[in-house]
Amino acid sequence: MSDSDGQAHEPAGLEGLPPLHSIAKGEVVSVQTYGAFVRLPGYKKEGLVHVSEMSASRVENASEIVDMGEKIWIKVIGREIQGDKVKLSFSMKAVNQGTGQDLDPNNVNGDQDQRRRRKFRDHTGNRITLEAVLNTTCSKCGCKGHFTKDCFSTPGLQYALVPEEEDAASRQQPLLTPAVAPQLDSDKKKKKKKEKKMKKKRKRERKESGSDSSNSTSDECKSKKRRHEHDKEDKKKKKHKKHRSHKHS
């Protein structure tokens, strides 16, 4: 699992550790939710098999895959020195658990996983700080915040933005002076008053026309009643005359 040439070139602090990308069979000594710690024979240091390195599919809890005291095949995928501690990282999915064959001999998948982890690392400590803005005005371009010698504006013709049609129309309209504004308000009030008076007049005319029509209809009804009564009287008189003539005969 290790050779003398590899151990001779080991960096300081990594002596006595399994070589990188080596395959070995170890025993599970601790199971946590985030992974399992594995001890290799002949080495005192234990390594962690993270849940993301246990299977190609998603694993929620390490207890779903391994148990305490179980023997598993692992591949050494990482050796890091963090302060006074040495961190070992193992992988189960890179090795066939039945035969111990290396499923990633060129370490392509392992390198891709490491790149993904680097992308999601927290870099809040390396914040970009902006320098203070200079309280100066450039004599070349008229802008604030830099000196004339640092100005990037080139001499020559300067162009301005063409205003839109709406802006141009609004500019062409004369602005109302404070003396003209109250006059417009008074004119508006007068117009409103006139409109109210006209509405009242129209209402009165409608009422009068309605009353006249009602009076005319009542007069017609009275005249019809009178005619009807007159006709009745005439009929009675005729009947009375006939009756008298009949008696005389």
Side-chain angles (χ1 to χ4, degrees), residues 11 21 26 29-30 34 44-45 98-99 145 151 153 162 173 193 205 210 213 233-234 236 238 242:
H21 303 146
V29 294
S30 177
Y34 53 86
K44 296 180 180 180
K45 186 67 181 173
T99 61
C151 185
S153 64
V162 178
Q173 291 179 356
K193 286 181 180 180
E205 290 174 357
S213 62
E233 288 178 358
D234 291 338
K236 284 181 181 180
K238 287 178 181 179
K242 287 180 181 180

Side-chain angles (χ1 to χ4, degrees), residues 1-22 40 42-46 76-90:
M1 205 170 86
S2 62
D3 50 18
S4 59
D5 294 337
Q7 289 179 356
H9 298 286
E10 285 288 340
L14 296 179
E15 298 88 355
L17 296 177
L20 192 63
H21 303 146
S22 61
L40 300 180
Y43 296 96
K44 296 180 180 180
K45 186 67 181 173
E46 300 170 357
V76 181
I77 59 173
R79 302 185 306 171
E80 297 179 5
I81 300 173
Q82 297 179 351
D84 298 335
K85 296 181 180 180
V86 179
K87 182 180 178 182
L88 288 175
S89 299
F90 298 156

